[in-house]
Amino acid sequence: MIVMEETATAEEVDAKPYRLASLQSTHGERSVLDIDGHKVGGESFALIAGPCTVETREQTMRTARVVRDAGATLLRGGAYKPRTSPYAFQGLGLEGLRLLAEAKAETGLPIVTELMDLRDVEPVLEVADVVQIGARNMQNYPLLAEIGRCGRPALLKRGLSSTLEELLMAAEYILKEGNPNVILCERGIRTFETAYRFTLDLMAVPVLKQLTHLPVIVDPSHAAGRRELVGPLSLAAAAVGADGVIVEVHPNPDEAICDGPQALRAEEFEDYAQAVARAAALAGKALAGREPALV
Ligand code: PEP
Ligand code: MN
């Protein structure tokens, strides 16, 4: 008997293990998410901003108004916080979610907030327009599958020591359950460098764009850990083609419970947004709600 050797087609040879996330799967067409009328991806540049953690009503509402007035796309804020120390403030939980709902009602900004524990799915989904999966949970597969099943848009952050392929395979867990609404986020990775908190891997942006149709945003706040780096890194992220940034803002960073040193000062946020809009224009993108910036 003659056994014919199977030869793979060129397409099979090129096929990526992340079948649904790959750019091939959409024949080169890029995904644009619509979050309550706010676009993420395509020619839009998403400015996602807000406190690291919801602390008080006053802090949340003031921050929400400032970022809304500057043209933010979404309001960020954690009610459940992944903290390195179990003794550190863990977030306000349900009360934090309630304050986020109030901020959304007043400003009209959709909310992105983190889900850490499957047991909190229900209350988080009552408030979150976008569910954040934090860097530490990037490979929490039951959590990813649950977000996939619930269908809510997900913001998936790259793990502290994860490769881009691992990030894309994590996204695949969400996509596989039938949820196509995934935003990827580069937030800095562990390297040998100790001069700053993490190393912001900006090369991930153009490389992910070659590999996947999903929108890619950048979190310079958690990468840098220092406020003065957040502006320049945001400009670089915009210029390199990111679909947006997610940054931390606080009315009084010196008194913030969490991540104060990296929080942009609320009173400086309008200038920051203008500068980012100019950088985004370099890459052909415009901040929603703003005229394309004059470079
Ligand atoms: C955050 O965005 O609040 C956060 C904790 O980020 P990361 O998961 O990237 O550390
Ligand atoms: Mn933070």
Side-chain angles (χ1 to χ4, degrees):
M1 191 172 68
I2 300 168
V3 178
M4 296 290 287
E5 215 172 275
E6 275 191 30
T7 44
T9 62
E11 236 172 48
E12 281 165 350
V13 170
D14 281 350
K16 302 282 193 262
Y18 35 91
R19 302 178 196 173
L20 300 169
S22 74
L23 188 56
Q24 290 161 332
S25 70
T26 57
H27 307 286
E29 197 179 316
R30 298 196 182 277
S31 294
V32 180
L33 275 61
D34 188 322
I35 318 282
D36 234 0
H38 300 256
K39 298 268 192 290
V40 180
E43 285 169 10
S44 301
F45 187 86
L47 180 56
I48 306 174
C52 173
T53 182
V54 175
E55 297 170 12
T56 65
R57 186 169 185 281
E58 165 75 2
Q59 167 247 13
T60 307
M61 300 309 276
R62 274 181 64 189
T63 310
R65 283 184 211 115
V66 164
V67 304
R68 187 262 329 264
D69 292 348
T73 320
L74 301 174
L75 177 67
R76 65 147 288 149
Y80 299 96
K81 297 301 302 176
R83 304 303 301 277
T84 302
S85 165
Y87 306 111
F89 176 66
Q90 304 285 308
L92 288 181
L94 292 177
E95 173 62 7
L97 293 176
R98 207 189 55 70
L99 291 171
L100 287 170
E102 206 177 319
K104 178 181 173 177
E106 192 191 304
T107 61
L109 285 175
I111 302 294
V112 54
T113 195
E114 179 161 354
L115 173 69
M116 290 205 304
D117 188 323
L118 276 173
R119 289 167 295 188
D120 301 319
V121 164
E122 222 175 277
V124 167
L125 287 183
E126 268 177 38
V127 175
D129 298 280
V130 176
V131 179
Q132 179 170 322
I133 305 291
R136 289 153 191 84
N137 266 320
M138 188 203 87
Q139 288 179 312
N140 183 335
Y141 300 123
L143 198 59
L144 297 171
E146 184 61 30
I147 294 307
R149 284 188 288 273
C150 85
R152 196 66 52 85
L155 171 53
L156 178 62
K157 298 186 101 179
R158 180 180 183 183
L160 275 51
S161 302
S162 295
T163 64
L164 296 183
E165 181 156 322
E166 286 163 342
L167 172 62
L168 290 165
M169 291 309 285
E172 196 75 12
Y173 270 85
I174 303 173
L175 299 169
K176 181 174 172 286
E177 299 298 328
N179 181 352
N181 301 310
V182 179
I183 305 164
L184 302 174
C185 180
E186 159 60 33
R187 48 78 71 209
I189 51 174
R190 275 267 152 80
T191 68
F192 54 82
E193 185 54 74
T194 54
Y196 27 80
R197 208 168 167 194
F198 294 96
T199 298
L200 186 63
D201 179 14
L202 282 177
M203 230 181 333
V205 175
V207 171
L208 282 170
K209 292 272 170 186
Q210 287 173 353
L211 300 176
T212 179
H213 57 89
L214 299 171
V216 180
I217 68 166
V218 170
D219 175 347
S221 303
H222 289 92
R226 288 178 5 217
R227 180 177 311 115
E228 74 275 16
L229 300 177
V230 173
L233 292 174
S234 300
L235 303 186
V240 83
D243 293 301
V245 287
I246 178 167
V247 290
E248 293 187 340
V249 185
H250 197 285
N252 189 0
D254 303 331
E255 283 174 18
I257 297 179
C258 183
D259 283 348
Q262 71 198 30
L264 296 172
R265 296 185 190 283
E267 69 266 23
E268 292 167 3
F269 190 72
E270 168 62 28
D271 287 348
Y272 164 86
Q274 279 184 25
V276 172
R278 284 194 292 273
L282 290 174
K285 289 175 183 286
L287 241 75
R290 269 180 195 265
E291 293 299 310
L294 296 173
V295 182

